[in-house]
Amino acid sequence: MSKKRVCVLGHFGNGLELLNGQTVKTKIVTEELCLKFGENEILKIDTHGGAKTLIKAPLQVIKALKTSKNVVIFPAHNGLRVYAPMLSFFKKFFSGTKLHYAVIGGWLPEFIEKRKSLSKHLQKFDGIYVETKTMKKALEEQGFDNISIVPNCKRLNILREDELIYDNRPPFHLCTFSRVMKEKGIEDAINAVKAVNEKRGQAVYTLDIYGQIDSNQTEWFEKLKSEFPDYISYKGCVDPTKSVEVLKEYFALLFPTYYQGEGFAGTVIDAFSAGVPVVASDWKYNAEIVSDGKNGFIFETHNVQKLADILQKAIENPDIFNSLKTNCLYCAHRYEPEKALEALFDNIN
């Protein structure tokens, strides 16, 4: 029996419409692998299902190694502790199969620093693909020599320059575009917009909140929503293929995250592709992606006043944001899949 080129062991969601970072990235990269090597060369094994799936993990791992020349995994914390050691162990019985780990988020360096046995298993992988230079450096300092940078990516219809939309008078429309949870800084965005509007004595900004509400935080968000002024709205979820179409109407995207697992957030690519500057907290790796004064602005994490100050200055001079739009498009092209996934493709070949 001839082996397939790639087996993807990842969280596909078992037919559910899940919009978390793990599921989204797993699906995006798998689609690109199908386009690159042919759909008949890609085997998909869904790790969705929690404890029930973990019982099946040994059989899934053996199937992956037996039927494919390359195995690519996309685990979160618990999945990594299960699948990485199994793959490392069973690989010795399937010579010639290469192991690849596409990292989702920015938690890996801290996570494995305290888990030396897991680190040893991962050092046996043929490639580990992290989203930022800072992550690569941190892992190399722990002794890894199999790290490549593969930034987050999306296949989007990036706007042309003549399609850009410019706002020059209030109300200016702002949005958040991420999972709806406290740690994504939703309240900081709300409070900054409120502060500016109250200072100006009118609604110079509106704020629309997009995204899937975290299932563990529905009560928090319902209470928050009940206190929204007229200029703040929850707009629900957006089909990932429609993100540019929705975002292009906005003046700026606010991303005041302090989420512990934050890596290279896909929402930044959505915004850049729509020519929309990003105002982000200096949390984790944001400042590596959002260049202050070039494609957006960075402010101190949790500092609502600093965020409000940036918005306040833009009222006096909208070109603070409008002048960045063209550069946002240039940045978006860096994260087209053909460019972003080059290191993974080359290693598979």
Side-chain angles (χ1 to χ4, degrees):
M1 182 182 70
S2 62
K3 288 189 172 186
K4 290 187 178 290
R5 180 72 67 93
V6 182
C7 174
V8 177
L9 266 171
H11 195 272
F12 291 97
N14 196 25
L16 301 173
E17 288 301 316
L18 300 176
L19 299 176
N20 59 76
Q22 183 188 11
T23 308
V24 170
K25 184 169 180 178
T26 301
K27 290 180 176 179
I28 287 172
V29 177
T30 303
E31 287 171 9
E32 295 304 323
L33 288 168
C34 289
L35 287 170
K36 177 73 173 177
F37 300 111
E39 195 158 354
N40 62 333
E41 284 291 323
I42 311 300
L43 173 66
K44 304 173 192 176
I45 297 179
D46 195 352
T47 60
H48 173 74
K52 291 181 181 178
T53 300
L54 295 181
I55 295 170
K56 301 176 186 176
L59 293 176
Q60 292 177 325
V61 164
I62 291 170
K63 180 181 179 181
L65 291 166
K66 185 178 180 180
T67 60
S68 306
K69 298 174 184 175
N70 295 270
V71 179
V72 184
I73 62 171
F74 295 82
H77 302 67
N78 290 334
L80 184 63
R81 285 186 287 206
V82 172
Y83 287 100
M86 282 189 190
L87 284 163
S88 172
F89 174 77
F90 284 114
K91 181 186 177 183
K92 67 183 77 170
F93 303 108
F94 299 93
S95 61
T97 302
K98 297 171 74 174
L99 302 182
H100 310 268
Y101 171 23
V103 181
I104 301 167
W107 50 271
L108 183 64
E110 294 85 358
F111 186 75
I112 61 172
E113 192 171 18
K114 302 171 185 175
R115 296 170 172 83
K116 298 303 180 185
S117 61
L118 180 58
S119 179
K120 288 178 182 177
H121 287 300
L122 288 172
Q123 287 175 358
K124 295 177 183 177
F125 274 54
D126 297 277
I128 296 176
Y129 309 90
V130 298
E131 297 178 338
T132 66
K133 295 176 184 176
T134 310
M135 286 182 68
K136 183 177 188 288
K137 182 180 178 183
L139 289 167
E140 287 175 342
E141 287 173 353
Q142 293 183 36
F144 284 83
D145 61 3
N146 56 349
I147 310 298
S148 299
I149 298 173
V150 170
N152 208 348
C153 62
K154 292 189 176 187
R155 187 169 291 280
L156 297 170
N157 292 319
I158 300 171
L159 291 188
R160 302 187 310 271
E161 287 187 42
D162 62 1
E163 295 177 303
L164 290 171
I165 296 173
Y166 294 90
D167 284 333
N168 293 299
R169 62 183 65 181
F172 296 105
H173 303 297
L174 307 172
C175 69
T176 65
F177 202 78
S178 65
R179 192 161 23 137
V180 179
M181 58 191 299
K182 289 181 184 179
E183 295 83 354
K184 291 290 185 175
I186 304 297
E187 285 182 87
D188 286 355
I190 290 169
N191 290 333
V193 170
K194 280 183 176 179
V196 175
N197 285 348
E198 287 168 8
K199 183 173 183 177
R200 306 291 296 195
Q202 59 177 309
V204 291
Y205 283 111
T206 67
L207 176 64
D208 290 338
I209 297 166
Y210 291 94
Q212 196 168 57
I213 301 167
D214 189 285
S215 58
N216 296 317
Q217 300 192 24
T218 52
E219 187 177 338
W220 157 78
F221 189 63
E222 285 302 318
K223 183 178 186 302
L224 197 65
K225 209 164 53 163
S226 69
E227 299 169 356
F228 282 176
D230 292 343
Y231 51 80
I232 297 177
S233 304
Y234 173 60
K235 296 290 190 178
C237 298
V238 174
D239 184 313
T241 63
K242 303 283 179 61
S243 62
V244 172
E245 185 180 327
V246 170
L247 289 174
K248 68 181 182 181
E249 305 287 342
Y250 287 91
F251 186 58
L253 181 142
L254 306 186
F255 189 51
T257 182
Y258 50 93
Y259 175 57
Q260 193 61 42
E262 203 73 75
F264 187 139
T267 187
V268 176
I269 303 175
D270 291 309
F272 288 169
S273 300
V276 174
V278 177
V279 186
S281 57
D282 62 357
W283 181 253
K284 292 278 187 176
Y285 312 103
N286 283 350
E288 193 175 313
I289 305 150
V290 178
S291 300
D292 204 48
K294 294 182 179 179
N295 52 26
F297 293 94
I298 294 288
F299 66 94
E300 183 184 359
T301 306
H302 295 303
N303 195 329
V304 174
Q305 186 57 56
K306 291 291 186 184
L307 173 54
D309 288 346
I310 292 169
L311 299 178
Q312 182 69 35
K313 288 175 184 175
I315 294 296
E316 311 296 339
N317 180 13
D319 276 348
I320 286 176
F321 285 153
N322 285 333
S323 63
L324 308 183
K325 284 180 166 289
T326 300
N327 204 37
C328 288
L329 300 183
Y330 294 150
C331 292
H333 285 289
R334 296 177 192 164
Y335 309 120
E336 291 179 291
E338 294 87 347
K339 297 174 185 175
L341 295 172
E342 191 172 351
L344 174 61
F345 291 161
D346 287 349
N347 211 351
I348 285 173
N349 276 328

